Amino acid sequence: MNPELDLTISRVIRAPRDAVWDAWADPRKLEQWWVPKPSVGRVVNLDLVPGGSFLTEISENKGEFAGHIDGCFLDVVPNERIVFTTALVGGWRPAENPFITAIITFADHPDGTQYNSLVMHKNPADREAHIGYGFYDGWGTVIGQLAERFEG
Amino acid sequence: MAQYSQLDDVFQALSDPTRRTILRRLGEGSASVTELAEPFDMGLPSFMKHIRLLEKSGWIRTHKSGRVRTCSIEMTRFAMVYDWLAEQREVWESRTDRLEAFVTKENS
């Protein structure tokens, strides 16, 4: 774990593990939570096998769909683990703009499901890629953080 | 207070979808004004107002060579307004919030 490049999120979700898995593995379900409203997400490819394509698109302000995530699954164990990277695209082909590798794990917990994400980033200096990839998602946050500074 | 008025400009610059699209495009690399204007159904004078506002608020730099004005993103502006890893954390935290809301609603 590199504190400057990696982030982890641990959450206990009060739902059965197979339901949490299904929200990831069913493209129609994934696109309901993958991007923040009012943006609309579209799952183009969700080929949950090693080397499979993970391709999502996003529409902001009811505009045309634009690229969001274009990556490749590295490891998939149903109900347990999903690993994907944007360093590769489908079929293991090297990506133009590598940015993250994410390890998502699902485990039983007395209250439901222990859901963890470890997201490893390429390089903090590589901010151009960050803006290209993260700008839509980050938009609300930028406003939130700026607002905090105003209020603070 | 000087810092606040600067943030006003930053807010204003980001408050418009055209300017956000320009920034997103420039996040992929530098481009000429002509290239940037191409997707928009807008006259050049109107488009230049957006470019000037982005430049004035420090989001972009422009450089004129002959007849071509090239724009590039000003990374220090992004660094000033947010810590990129904190922002990525927020992206993943809120994504997890939405997953949680989705599955708990589905299973309630």
Side-chain angles (χ1 to χ4, degrees), chain A residues 11 33-34 137-139 150, chain B residues 14 87 95 97-98 100:
Chain A
R11 188 78 59 90
W33 60 268
W34 187 242
D137 267 354
W139 166 238
F150 268 94
Chain B
L14 286 177
E87 197 246 319
R95 182 168 281 156
D97 290 344
R98 295 192 299 273
E100 185 174 15

Side-chain angles (χ1 to χ4, degrees), chain A residues 11-13 15 17 107-115:
Chain A
R11 188 78 59 90
V12 175
I13 297 179
R17 180 153 64 138
D108 285 332
H109 184 279
D111 294 326
T113 305
Q114 178 71 50
Y115 177 80

Side-chain angles (χ1 to χ4, degrees), chain A residues 8-9 11 19 29 32-34 67 124 127-128 130-132 136-139 141-142 145 149-150, chain B residues 11 14 24 27 75 79-80 82 84-85 87-90 92-93 95 97-100 102-103 106-107:
Chain A
T8 55
I9 291 163
R11 188 78 59 90
K29 290 183 178 178
Q32 289 182 54
W33 60 268
W34 187 242
R127 289 187 178 159
E128 298 226 342
H130 160 60
I131 289 156
Y136 281 123
D137 267 354
W139 166 238
T141 316
V142 174
Q145 289 180 346
R149 290 184 190 206
F150 268 94
Chain B
F11 257 124
L14 286 177
R24 187 165 189 277
M75 301 319 291
M80 189 187 112
Y82 61 55
W84 76 278
L85 190 62
E87 197 246 319
Q88 283 305 305
R89 168 171 291 283
E90 177 59 27
W92 284 87
E93 286 278 8
R95 182 168 281 156
D97 290 344
R98 295 192 299 273
L99 169 64
E100 185 174 15
F102 178 76
V103 293
E106 201 186 33
N107 285 276

Side-chain angles (χ1 to χ4, degrees), chain A:
Chain A
M1 171 99 191
N2 177 335
E4 288 176 7
L5 296 176
D6 303 348
L7 62 89
T8 55
I9 291 163
S10 295
R11 188 78 59 90
V12 175
I13 297 179
R14 292 176 183 278
R17 180 153 64 138
D18 56 354
V20 181
W21 171 266
D22 208 40
W24 244 106
D26 178 337
R28 297 292 85 80
K29 290 183 178 178
L30 176 62
E31 62 194 13
Q32 289 182 54
W33 60 268
W34 187 242
V35 303
K37 287 187 170 73
S39 296
V40 179
R42 185 157 78 186
V43 175
V44 181
N45 293 323
L46 184 69
D47 190 7
L48 281 169
V49 296
S53 167
F54 183 31
L55 186 62
T56 68
E57 294 178 334
I58 188 167
S59 160
E60 198 193 33
N61 297 326
K62 297 182 178 168
E64 281 185 25
F65 280 90
H68 183 236
I69 299 269
D70 188 2
C72 177
F73 292 105
L74 301 174
D75 187 20
V76 178
V77 181
N79 288 311
E80 279 185 28
R81 186 165 66 240
I82 292 173
V83 184
F84 73 89
T85 184
T86 59
L88 304 169
V89 298
W92 315 106
R93 185 175 295 279
E96 218 160 287
N97 297 304
F99 185 48
I100 60 162
T101 294
I103 301 175
I104 316 287
T105 57
F106 310 71
D108 285 332
H109 184 279
D111 294 326
T113 305
Q114 178 71 50
Y115 177 80
N116 293 352
S117 306
L118 166 61
V119 186
M120 297 175 281
H121 297 83
K122 183 189 164 200
N123 185 341
D126 192 20
R127 289 187 178 159
E128 298 226 342
H130 160 60
I131 289 156
Y133 278 68
F135 201 69
Y136 281 123
D137 267 354
W139 166 238
T141 316
V142 174
I143 292 295
Q145 289 180 346
L146 286 172
E148 275 174 31
R149 290 184 190 206
F150 268 94
E151 288 155 9

